[in-house]
Amino acid sequence: MQRTAKNLILHLEKHPERIPTAFKFIDYYQDRAVKIVQQYEDLEATELSTDKVRDLKERMKGTLASLDEAYTEQFENVLNDQMLSVDAELKVMEQQLDAEGIKRPTIALDLDTVDEDGNQIYNPYSKQLGRKRKPPKIGRPVADLQKLTIIPEGKRAMVIHRKLVQSALAIFFGALGAHLFYRGKTFSGFLRLFLSLTFVMIPLMSFIGFCEGIRYLFMSLDDFYLQYVEDDDN
């Protein structure tokens, strides 16, 4: 759910005109998902194991699983117009190629990937031009993913701290430009504050700040370091 939410928010930032199509995700699903998780944690903390508590926890887990699917469906709805446009263009091009007698080979996506430990996951359906690939040796690491970072040694803790603080300031005080002041962007911070207080645009600025904060929070450390640590420091 977090990964889907992150990608959807990043997409909406690039295409703000599509925000109305994601109103369920913004106004309903996000708040409900957080609330259910918090309530589940509260029940866990009680350490009760009665039938009623167990039944309620199972229902909560089932609802979260359904929300996971709902997030994906919301993202697909946002992309629907774009996918229809691409599909139409592809059909026209395919018809043109067929009319000219040009054969189009069927190429499936290579879906082999790596897990969190850096071990390659074999997908038996992965093909290229109809040739099946051999499965890799089980447990053999593809790469030491933990070492692939651009953050200088000794700065990782500072980057994490800065990422969390900047995210919190944007989410809770974005309308006042707190995260901009934190980054040293004084002019931008005063401009945000001026717009919020002078033109009574606090709800809009709060929403923009919330989106910015979520984006900071879900960015990879390397991306955050490049955009908001190294760039700001320079």
Side-chain angles (χ1 to χ4, degrees), residues 122 124 126-128 130-134:
Y122 174 63
S126 176
K127 301 178 181 178
Q128 184 173 8
R131 294 176 295 177
K132 290 187 177 180
R133 301 182 59 185
K134 295 181 180 180

Side-chain angles (χ1 to χ4, degrees), residues 166-217:
Q166 187 170 313
S167 300
L169 289 175
I171 290 172
F172 296 107
F173 304 106
L176 305 179
H179 59 300
L180 299 174
F181 288 114
Y182 179 75
R183 291 178 53 199
K185 305 294 183 181
T186 306
F187 177 78
S188 299
F190 276 117
L191 181 61
R192 179 75 62 90
L193 182 62
F194 176 78
L195 290 174
S196 296
L197 300 181
T198 306
F199 297 99
V200 195
M201 298 175 65
I202 290 181
L204 176 60
M205 294 303 170
S206 296
F207 174 73
I208 294 175
F210 175 81
C211 291
E212 291 174 332
I214 294 297
R215 179 172 178 268
Y216 301 150
L217 190 61

